[in-house]
Amino acid sequence: MHLGIIGQAVGLFAVTNIDDILVLALFFAQGAGHPGSARRIMLGQYLGFAAILVVAVAAALGATFLPEAVIPYLGLLPLALGLKAAWRAWRDRHDGSDDEEERAGEGGPGPLEVAAVTFANGGDNIGVYVPVFATAGIGGMSVYAVVFLVLVAVWCWAGKFFATRPVIAKALARWGHILLPLVLIAIGLLILVEGGAFGL
């Protein structure tokens, strides 16, 4: 393995996924105190990122599972999840204690929710990865894929680390139910607008 390719893979992953740390911190804060939530969040992150890799590798090899015109519409996933989270936060605030018990039973975000946000948020990364993978060849693509998958674990650790720092954890515990929907809605709208979905 060439150290240059590993360094390039680390740099490419970091640049294209820096915003994921904030989203992961919010997910980990939402799942705090629920047994198994960290495992579900990591599973979702891996599922979402594996889907990004599969599409990018396939496109680099000449197959197109996801037409370029569809990518901006991936913004509908985090937008819908953000609206759902906002509605749930509003409902819990207005309905009182019954929903506190219901929320306690939810156990934080599920793997498919995390995977959907990860995939949608990383949809624009596919356009960056494809030309890099195409020029790297099969061996180079394998190195990129391995490095990226290792770094997903590092990103999960960083998200959990930030979510458990006392000052940040206190802020997220107080404002997380508002921040998560806002961040998801903002990500969704940004993907839709930047991609020109619906003629925006």
Side-chain angles (χ1 to χ4, degrees):
M1 271 197 265
H2 193 267
L3 289 177
I5 296 180
I6 294 173
Q8 289 167 19
V10 169
L12 183 61
F13 183 90
V15 167
T16 55
N17 292 286
I18 196 71
D19 52 340
D20 271 354
I21 292 179
L22 171 63
V23 177
L24 280 167
L26 287 166
F27 278 141
F28 279 114
Q30 189 183 36
H34 298 285
S37 69
R39 196 167 51 249
R40 288 190 294 275
I41 293 165
M42 282 191 74
L43 174 62
Q45 185 73 2
Y46 267 103
L47 286 173
F49 200 82
I52 291 169
L53 274 180
V54 166
V55 172
V57 167
L61 294 174
T64 28
F65 294 140
L66 200 61
E68 198 172 314
V70 172
I71 290 175
Y73 295 95
L74 291 175
L76 292 171
L77 289 171
L79 180 61
L81 290 169
L83 291 171
K84 179 183 171 190
W87 178 79
R88 188 183 301 144
W90 180 84
R91 183 196 64 189
D92 290 348
R93 183 175 177 189
H94 286 82
D95 288 354
S97 60
D98 291 338
D99 287 312
E100 289 293 328
E101 291 170 16
E102 184 185 321
R103 193 172 20 167
E106 287 175 1
L112 292 180
E113 183 182 349
V114 176
V117 172
T118 301
F119 185 74
N121 194 27
D124 56 337
N125 296 358
I126 294 168
V128 177
Y129 297 160
V130 170
V132 174
F133 288 179
T135 56
I138 299 292
M141 267 194 285
S142 303
V143 174
Y144 274 98
V146 169
V147 171
F148 283 6
L149 292 172
V150 168
L151 289 175
V152 168
V154 174
W155 248 234
C156 288
W157 175 85
K160 188 171 183 182
F161 174 82
F162 287 121
T164 55
R165 295 308 90 200
V167 173
I168 298 172
K170 188 176 178 183
L172 290 177
R174 184 169 181 183
W175 301 106
H177 66 290
I178 295 170
L179 282 175
L180 181 65
L182 286 177
V183 168
L184 293 180
I185 290 168
I187 287 170
L189 290 174
L190 195 65
I191 293 168
L192 289 169
V193 171
E194 283 188 349
F198 304 112
L200 297 172

